[in-house]
Amino acid sequence: MIEDETSSCSILLIDDEPFAQQIIEHGLKTCVKHVLHYESSPARAVDLVRELGITVVLVDLRMPDLDGFEFTRRLRATSDTEHVPVIMLSSEDDPEVKAQAFAAGVNDYMVKWPDPRELVARVQYHNDACIARRERDAAFASLRLSQQQLAESQSALHQAQKMEAIGQLTGGVAHDFNNVLQIIGGNLQLLKLVGNLNDAARTRVEMALAGVERGAKLSSHLLAFARRQPLQAVVLNPGHLLREMDDMMRRVLGPNARIVTDIGPALWSTVADPNQLNNVLLNLAINARDAMGGNGSLLIRASNAGGDAADRHAALPPGVAAGEYVLIEVADTGKGMPPEVLQRAFEPFFTTKPVGKGTGLGLSMAYGFVKQSGGEIVLDSEVGRGTSVRIYLPRSAVEAAQPEEAVEVPLFGGLETILVVEDEEDVRDSTCAILSALGYEVLEACDAAGAVEIVESGRHVDLVFTDVIMPGPVSSLQLGEAVRRHLPSAQILYTSGYAEGVLAHEGKVSASVHLLQKPYHPDALSARIRHLLRRGRNGAQAASSAGATAN
């Protein structure tokens, strides 16, 4: 046998007479780049053709156990060998025998022993044809794979475009909806505050305000999905948040469900909006409760993912970029989702729950929040085996500070001067009325340009309460600069239902910016104003003391 690892012509000779190998080897000595394999048993030869990548088969016609006809039929019956060229060798120069050979599937027929020049020419011809066919088949397979990948990419692009279009729509609707809710809620709150209502009227107002609060939550979910919710992110440790939520989670799931909380040791910190993360986890727990019918088991796990110190259970799945993450997983033992439902699970308002049992915004809100926080969300589900939602939030290089205890501030006002800047007249009127009822001296401006005129006029102002997005040549940011320039001791409190691209950078609001989301409650408005005014007064006193000490 002639051995050459670089050969492109791989020949298998099947003949029960060993001397045939020597004859064929001699005949092929001028055939460059070839390897000749020999096999005396045709029964094993089909497997050898597959294993050795044979490009041409030379088979004897007459053999004891299996003749050349039957071997060729077996070769043609197997998909991965059916196209390998077969040259039949025979001492019979009978046209009938040749016809039977071609009927069995041979490609060529040669009478023993052929002239070496003819043998080499025919072997090379059939070898080239075999290689060309394999290259063509490989090209078609590659083309089919490319087409499949292109179709998958187009589907993913279409899905992304659809989600982006829905996000833009929902973001715009939520912005306008928040202003409407602020008008309704502000006037109801004002009526409750100064209206001298009897018990029946107060009950009606409370019911209406509860409806406003439900609408505000719906709008917040829409903005979170659209990734247009200004996030006031802080460095936090998800382990602390999960421990604080334990009791609430148990109340949400009910007494028949089992909750397993697994918080990994030395859990990393991340940067996120704690309130929004809290809402996301509660929505996931509610979805799990509904999927399990109040029973089953809910696993809440937090661990490190990615990097050398990652938890061994938290290898990064495909689609999540390499890096270090904090993984929060919520997994239930519910009924799971079929593939067609799983594909649409993140779409807003898509739900399989009965009418009145859900808005279809839980997962879409989670999707928007995680993406806006720079993370990834992975959803796995199988019918009958439950659902797992894994949230990957980037690791923070800064350790989280210990959480401060919340201090409740009662509703009260003051005698300071507040400048209210709002282009929506009805929103401005109700807000000014509430602040006036709390005792403040209130100035009004319908846009930032008018507010700048008041600021530059020398009028004393303790706090500017301004909308973020307003028409006109002067922006809310330019107004803020004018306030800091002319009234350095004045505080600035922004309000908006949609602040993307103005106060928010990549969807996140700086810790130095004070933002009150619309629609706001008088309690929240009062508390934020008093906090800022007190902070400004303390800052002024500290500066005065420092100046006196220096003198």
Side-chain angles (χ1 to χ4, degrees), residues 177 181 207-221 359:
F177 190 44
L181 289 174
M207 290 174 62
L209 286 172
V212 171
E213 185 175 349
R214 287 179 58 189
K217 289 181 179 179
L218 175 63
S219 178
S220 176
H221 290 177
T359 62

Side-chain angles (χ1 to χ4, degrees), residues 182 417-423 427-428 430-432 434-435 442-445 451 461-468 470 476 479 483 490-496 514-521 524-526 528-529 532:
Q182 185 59 56
T417 301
I418 298 177
L419 170 60
V420 176
V421 189
E422 170 65 61
D423 61 298
V427 175
R428 187 173 68 250
S430 62
T431 300
C432 290
I434 290 173
L435 293 175
V442 180
L443 306 178
E444 298 183 37
V461 175
D462 295 290
L463 182 140
V464 177
F465 182 46
T466 177
D467 192 17
V468 173
M470 293 178 290
S476 57
L479 169 60
V483 171
Q491 302 297 305
I492 305 175
L493 176 60
Y494 294 96
T495 182
S496 180
H514 303 283
L515 176 67
L516 181 63
Q517 285 289 111
K518 290 180 180 178
Y520 43 82
H521 192 277
L525 178 61
S526 166
R528 292 296 293 274
I529 288 176
L532 291 176

